[in-house]
Amino acid sequence: MQYTSQQQENTDHQPQGHGISFRQAFFTWLKISLLSFGGPAAQIALMHKVLVEEKRWISEERFLHALNYCMLLPGPEAQQLAIYLGWLMHRTLGGVVAGVLFILPGALVVLALSILYAGYQQLSIVAALFYGIKAAVLAIVIVAVIRIGQKVLKNYFMYATAACSFIGIYIFSLPFPLIIITAALVGFFGGKISARNFEIIRAKTSANNTDVLPSAALDRALYHAENGSFMQHTQPSLRRCVKVICCTTVLWLGPLLALSLFLGTDNVYTDEATFFSKMAVVTFGGAYAVLAYVAQQAVGVFGWLNPGEMLDGLAMAETTPGPLIMVVQFVGFMGAFRNPGMLDPMLAGSLGALVTTWVTFVPCFLWIFLGAPYVEALRGNQYFSAALSTITAAIVGVILNLALWFSLHVLFAQTQTLQLLGLDISLPIWSSLDFPALCIAACSLIAMQKFKLSMLKALAISASVGVILFYLG
């Protein structure tokens, strides 16, 4: 069967070999994007419900297979899963549409909230709302530590990895990328020595009998791919690899180069583009894992935020659709808002938010479009699984550091720095403890962890209680 370029591009309205039209997929991805609240676990569950259970476009095994790929990559795994599945159904255009729609509603809402926050932060009602929300966000981060820890801390090796990670980032202020790279190397070589102790997270393999025709639409197309069907776009090729690298690299790093050439290297836009481009490469483990490092740099190095404002940004991301890493858009907005140069502060903030969002999410398309045809070879590989397990254990320590960092700024009005052996260690001043905030955080933690209260409900209740307590004084 001759496979022409015209056939390859025919994705606009006609159903493909799987019978799923581009129009159907577009409105399905739009629906998912508008309902993608609650973080990556909830977003992945939503995609599973819609695509696997309701639409029956993809099988359980194929869905988990794609998810395992995305878990190995830096960046928001839920968005990458959407890009992967969109690409699988309708090639590059399908992946672009799925990925853009996944973040677009949240990006617009966070931008609007950032403008309101910057312009009306001094209003008492805004301060009152965020008083309770900050405490609830602290509880959410602690819940993340507990749940990820239960998943991966299965032996002394994993506990030791998490402990070393926490000590490294909290006591010695080691860079987050160094911790991730070290954990990956330890896991990779540790898996060679003792796979039983390091291969905690194992890739799930399909139980399907290849002689039985699958029931899901995409899997039927994959089943017939060797017969020259539309699924040939999933086959790896050097030419395609080079094209993907060139196109996505220009889109990703082109704006950074342009900013450096026209504005120089000493301006807030170039700083944001450079910093968040680096973050896009090392954001393994989701938003919580990298937020402590981002917060430390944004507050202590660049001066883009005040200490408590990172929690406000996280609260925005928690209560809007899309990936939690969208909090970096708030950081980019506030950084440029406070360093506007010759521009109006609101316009400068909006440009900073755009630059930050662009360099954060464009790499996700590179990882999927480049790696998806090749990453099949990683499935079930014990050394990569061991590396992933150790990275995840290290992330537990990083998120614990984030929880401690948030605690110091939410629960205490004042902190002090202990200088020990040339190290600066932040400690609370216990007399400045904010007891009402502690009560809100504790009640939110118990409600979510023990009684399984949803995150959005916990945030709403905490905000209401915070307003009451704030005005009662």
Side-chain angles (χ1 to χ4, degrees), residues 119-326:
Y120 303 97
Q121 187 177 5
Q122 301 305 318
L123 291 180
S124 61
I125 184 61
V126 175
L129 283 170
F130 278 100
Y131 177 76
I133 289 176
K134 287 180 182 179
V137 170
L138 171 60
I140 291 169
V141 175
I142 296 174
V143 169
V145 174
I146 295 171
R147 291 179 180 175
I148 297 176
Q150 290 173 339
K151 174 183 177 183
V152 75
L153 301 183
K154 301 294 187 181
N155 57 47
Y156 292 115
F157 291 97
M158 296 296 108
Y159 275 105
T161 300
C164 290
S165 171
F166 173 77
I167 293 171
I169 196 168
Y170 183 69
I171 303 296
F172 296 98
S173 300
L174 295 179
F176 174 72
L178 178 61
I179 291 174
I180 293 299
I181 292 171
T182 302
L185 292 174
V186 170
F188 183 82
F189 291 106
K192 290 179 177 289
I193 298 171
S194 177
R196 179 174 61 87
N197 289 317
F198 285 89
E199 192 186 359
I200 305 301
I201 300 176
R202 295 179 174 84
K204 299 176 176 65
T205 58
S206 174
N208 281 359
N209 183 337
T210 57
D211 294 328
V212 179
L213 183 65
S215 59
L218 274 174
D219 293 75
R220 285 197 302 270
L222 285 167
Y223 182 85
H224 291 300
E226 68 275 9
N227 297 324
S229 71
F230 82 103
M231 297 304 290
Q232 284 190 10
H233 75 281
T234 64
Q235 304 302 313
S237 71
L238 180 59
R239 180 181 178 183
R240 179 186 178 279
C241 178
V242 172
K243 184 186 297 186
V244 167
I245 291 175
C246 291
C247 292
T248 53
T249 301
V250 169
L251 288 172
W252 176 17
L253 300 180
L256 174 58
L257 179 61
L259 288 170
S260 299
L261 291 175
F262 289 101
L263 299 178
T265 57
D266 187 21
N267 70 88
V268 66
Y269 305 108
T270 304
D271 288 342
E272 289 179 345
T274 302
F275 176 69
F276 288 109
S277 289
K278 294 176 182 178
M279 287 299 95
V281 180
V282 296
T283 49
F284 295 92
Y288 291 130
V290 76
L291 280 185
Y293 182 66
V294 171
Q296 289 168 355
Q297 296 294 304
V299 174
V301 177
F302 296 106
W304 295 334
L305 298 178
N306 296 321
E309 290 179 337
M310 192 67 183
L311 274 172
D312 298 337
L314 183 57
M316 294 180 190
E318 293 277 16
T319 52
T320 55
L324 295 182
I325 197 65
M326 192 63 72

Side-chain angles (χ1 to χ4, degrees), residues 44 66-73 77 80 151 284 388 392:
I44 291 168
L67 179 58
N68 283 330
Y69 291 165
C70 298
M71 287 294 294
L72 292 170
L73 301 172
E77 61 268 28
Q80 289 169 339
K151 174 183 177 183
F284 295 92
L388 176 63
T392 308

Side-chain angles (χ1 to χ4, degrees), residues 30-150:
L30 180 60
K31 171 186 175 182
I32 290 173
S33 71
L34 295 174
L35 298 175
S36 58
F37 293 89
Q43 292 158 0
I44 291 168
L46 173 64
M47 281 190 278
H48 182 275
K49 177 177 175 58
V50 174
L51 301 176
V52 177
E53 299 177 13
E54 296 178 0
K55 300 290 187 180
R56 298 184 62 84
W57 287 351
I58 186 170
S59 68
E60 176 81 17
E61 292 77 17
R62 179 59 58 183
F63 185 90
L64 293 174
H65 179 61
L67 179 58
N68 283 330
Y69 291 165
C70 298
M71 287 294 294
L72 292 170
L73 301 172
E77 61 268 28
Q79 188 211 12
Q80 289 169 339
L81 180 61
I83 296 171
Y84 186 98
L85 297 178
W87 167 80
L88 199 59
M89 286 190 287
H90 295 106
R91 306 178 181 84
T92 302
L93 181 60
V96 170
V97 168
V100 170
L101 283 179
F102 192 84
I103 65 172
L104 186 59
L108 295 175
V109 174
V110 170
L111 177 60
L113 291 175
S114 299
I115 292 172
L116 292 174
Y117 181 89
Y120 303 97
Q121 187 177 5
Q122 301 305 318
L123 291 180
S124 61
I125 184 61
V126 175
L129 283 170
F130 278 100
Y131 177 76
I133 289 176
K134 287 180 182 179
V137 170
L138 171 60
I140 291 169
V141 175
I142 296 174
V143 169
V145 174
I146 295 171
R147 291 179 180 175
I148 297 176
Q150 290 173 339

